Amino acid sequence: MQPSVADIWAVLDGVPDPEIPAISLTDLGIIREVAWEGEVLEVTVTPTYSGCPATSFINRAIEEALHDAGIAKVALKRQLSPPWTTDWLTEGGKRKLEAYGIAPPTSPKGPERCPHCGGADLERISAFGSTPCKAQWRCRDCLEPFDHFKCI
Amino acid sequence: MDPLFEFCLRMGDNTLVLGHRVSQWCGHAPVVEEDIALANTALDLIGQTQLWLGLAGEVEGKGRDADALAFRRDAWDFRSVLLVEQPNGDFGNTLLRQYLFDEWQALMLAALKRSTDTRVAAIAAKAAKEVAYHVERSRGTVVGLGDGTAESHAKMQAALDRLYPFVGELFATDATDEAVAEAGIAPLPSDLRAAYDAALAATMAEATLTIPDSRWTHAGGRDGSRHSEHLGHLLTEMQWLQRAYPDATW
Ligand SMILES: [Zn+2]
């Protein structure tokens, strides 16, 4: 018997993002659709950044998780439009990011508060960070640097 | 040749050649934050290349994918503008070249979001989000270094004097451009010039840099008629592996 679409979503909830394992692929909001086409499970994925090296790892992680859940035929579809936006990050995902030490995307102007001490006196070090989705910031209260998940 | 194929090559070859140029900085930038920024910019550009050349291959319909187009064409089949082929020079020269390109790319992508070809519009919408960060950074660096020390100012002015004569080619308009504009796929490059000039004037005024008077431009890259000698050297390095070991995979 085919697992229901809801069961599939539950499987995908358990697949961590390869670069930020604190959040899942569904937290990230990149899985746009899950649907059965006969025997084949179609999963529609939207890329975060066009050159993000994690994209191929993400695709493999999805396929492996679904195969482990007993689904034999999986077809991944890439959807570019509408382009991925950090607005699709779930509220739970944002909380997990902050707990992990990454300031979640809240405003294009920058992070709301330091993920370490909650301080609001912040400065940007660089608009780019260790992965395409992050920028580097520093807290003037606790003097610690931290990553900010950029709004796009 | 199909004008849409040619158009996709022009978009994808620009980002491919510039992406490769910028990636040459990896591990060499003056400070680690800049190194990371350059590497991320290169990554975005190569990602956009995969989309543009992927679409080019689809339009062509001869079974060539983005990799085949990137790694198995020779210099005369490339459609990149001469600006992006120019050597990196110093850090200021690299960021000035980036700014001159970013400002054009941002205007082009904004117009392409309204393309009648939904595939072109989708790529443009995706890339525009990335380019917004590129132009913010390259503009800020040009202003910071132009309006910086006497030495940084002199270097940036020399870079602008050297690179400005390549800007005009971005706005050249030929039969291919007219055909894609006629079909509503892309704007006429010449129609973007006024907005570009206004943005450039504002940035250079803030950077205390003087834009050269002459509009004379080098050309020959975007139609492949006469590339600079730099492109061949760049391709020799970039394409070496796929040419030495065709179909090699990880
Ligand atoms: Zn703090």
Side-chain angles (χ1 to χ4, degrees), chain B residues 41-65:
Chain B
T41 303
L43 205 57
D44 285 342
L45 292 169
I46 299 299
Q48 292 164 18
T49 302
Q50 287 175 330
L51 300 175
W52 287 120
L53 295 187
L55 178 56
E58 189 184 316
V59 169
E60 187 191 38
K62 291 183 184 166
R64 291 201 283 183
D65 61 7

Side-chain angles (χ1 to χ4, degrees), chain A residues 1-5 8 33-44 62-63 66-67 70-77:
Chain A
M1 208 190 99
Q2 282 182 348
S4 70
V5 166
I8 306 288
E33 207 188 335
V34 173
W36 283 104
E37 285 292 327
E39 299 281 288
V40 181
L41 181 70
E42 283 190 356
V43 181
T44 306
I62 293 171
E63 284 173 342
L66 294 172
H67 288 155
I71 296 152
K73 290 179 183 167
V74 176
L76 295 183
K77 284 173 36 180

Side-chain angles (χ1 to χ4, degrees), chain A residues 47-53 78 80-81 83-86 108 124-132 136 150-152, chain B residues 32-34 36-38 40-41 43-44 46-48 50-51 118-119 122-123 125-127 129-130 133-134 136-137:
Chain A
T48 50
Y49 283 74
S50 31
C52 185
R78 185 187 71 180
L80 278 187
S81 178
W84 179 76
T85 160
T86 36
R124 190 171 81 174
I125 302 171
S126 172
F128 295 84
S130 55
T131 62
Q136 299 172 76
K150 292 191 272 203
C151 276
I152 71 162
Chain B
V32 72
E33 287 81 6
E34 293 304 331
I36 289 169
L38 285 161
N40 272 301
T41 303
L43 205 57
D44 285 342
I46 299 299
Q48 292 164 18
Q50 287 175 330
L51 300 175
T118 54
R119 298 165 300 180
I123 296 172
K126 180 94 207 127
K129 285 172 169 251
E130 295 159 1
Y133 276 99
H134 299 173
E136 185 198 335
R137 168 169 175 275

Side-chain angles (χ1 to χ4, degrees), chain B residues 164-210:
Chain B
Y164 192 71
F166 292 96
V167 162
E169 193 189 8
L170 291 165
F171 304 96
T173 296
D174 62 13
T176 295
D177 301 300
E178 278 159 12
V180 289
E182 188 70 26
I185 295 168
L188 276 182
S190 50
D191 286 349
L192 303 174
R193 182 86 205 226
Y196 183 87
D197 284 346
L200 213 63
T203 300
M204 295 310 163
E206 211 180 314
T208 68
L209 297 173
T210 308

